[in-house]
Amino acid sequence: MTPDQTPDILLIRQTRPDVAERLAARFRLHRLDDAPDRDAVLSAIGPRIRGLAVGAMCPIDAALFDRLPHLEIVSSFGVGYDTIDVGAAARRGIVVTHTPDVLSDEVADLALGLLLAAVRRIPQGDRYLRAGHWRAASFPLTASLRERRVGILGLGRIGQAIATRLEGFGVGIAYHGRTPRAEVSYAYHDSLIGLAQAVDVLIVAAPGGPETRGIVDAAVLAALGPEGIVVNIARGSVIDEAALIEALRAGTIHAAGLDVFENEPQVPDALIALENTVLLPHVGSGSHHTRTAMGRLLTDNLVSWFEGDGPLTPVPETPWSRAR
């Protein structure tokens, strides 16, 4: 394309420096993340913008779409896109893309790490040694993965990667989702309560959004039982955080390993104070290798679109076909 045909792209929130560099090399790049007056920027360049590059967990709503009348595509950094109003995008004919697959293994690895850390109290043991307590007494015995049954809420790409890893631990595996998956042999439960009653570990791998908000509630936690362990690497909104804190405090469940929270980066003091938790600052995909791959896919979606080849990884709510 000639310089006059170069599409204008708006970077809403910085993801990685290499992403901005790759975008600037292929497009006429504008940045909203470091603009002193965002409203003035949108007024000045809004009608020229044809693509959005969106950082993780960045709210994108209908009001923004109204400021960008010629927007064609939103390319988002991350597999989750619950902060993007995909319904408003679909009504305007805007395609939304995300970065699935390239982070599934990394997040699944971390889910298993959180599970082991919560069951065997690995961070607590580390603190015990560093404080010099081992010289006086052995660290208390912990729970075990032996003879446990693990339930996965959401058997999508990441859920299946978690299940594959769990097979090596010799645990029973079951799952709940909107529909059973014919390609797997794990036990399917048609209700979340039923899954919680059947297992004593619940790994949350379901997408965020209104449909899943707070579905892991007090009743589900009670069904999981006093030996129950919750691991969440999905979205903090999927779990009723107040109910989880009370369940951990009261011994309704045994422990939790959490990488995500309801109001990130704000984590309740009551959750931090609990000794039966392992808490991480949303680092599921946080390796150099995986974040580089995510940034490359974000850029490649935009390049493919504007070269006329369509999006590489559109979300299902904004389907695309060559006929369109």
Side-chain angles (χ1 to χ4, degrees), residues 153 202-204 212-218 220-221 230-245 253 256-258 260-262:
L153 172 57
L202 179 64
I203 299 180
V204 179
T212 60
R213 178 169 293 278
I215 60 171
V216 179
D217 57 15
V220 171
L221 296 170
V230 173
V231 172
N232 189 4
I233 45 75
R235 284 287 190 261
S237 61
V238 180
I239 297 179
D240 181 335
E241 202 161 72
L244 176 63
I245 291 169
I253 64 171
L258 309 172
V260 290
F261 305 90
E262 191 170 357

Side-chain angles (χ1 to χ4, degrees), residues 157-171:
R157 295 176 177 92
I158 293 173
Q160 290 191 56
I162 292 169
T164 299
R165 285 156 174 75
L166 284 169
E167 290 175 2
F169 286 86
V171 297

Side-chain angles (χ1 to χ4, degrees), residues 138-212:
S138 297
F139 187 69
L141 299 181
T142 70
S144 173
L145 270 186
R146 306 286 70 74
E147 300 181 358
R148 279 192 179 267
R149 300 155 296 167
V150 180
I152 302 173
L153 172 57
L155 203 69
R157 295 176 177 92
I158 293 173
Q160 290 191 56
I162 292 169
T164 299
R165 285 156 174 75
L166 284 169
E167 290 175 2
F169 286 86
V171 297
I173 303 170
Y175 71 101
H176 168 69
R178 282 177 289 189
T179 56
R181 304 189 72 99
E183 71 273 22
V184 302
S185 59
Y186 314 126
Y188 174 73
H189 292 265
D190 60 9
S191 74
L192 181 52
I193 284 284
L195 177 67
Q197 290 171 337
V199 302
D200 41 31
V201 173
L202 179 64
I203 299 180
V204 179
E211 291 183 357
T212 60

Side-chain angles (χ1 to χ4, degrees), residues 50 64 104 109 121 157 160 196 231 235 240 249 285 287 291 293 297 322:
R50 296 174 60 194
L64 179 60
S104 297
D109 289 349
R121 305 187 72 226
R157 295 176 177 92
Q160 290 191 56
V231 172
R235 284 287 190 261
D240 181 335
R249 183 185 287 145
S285 63
S287 72
R291 292 286 174 85
L297 183 52
R322 284 187 190 281

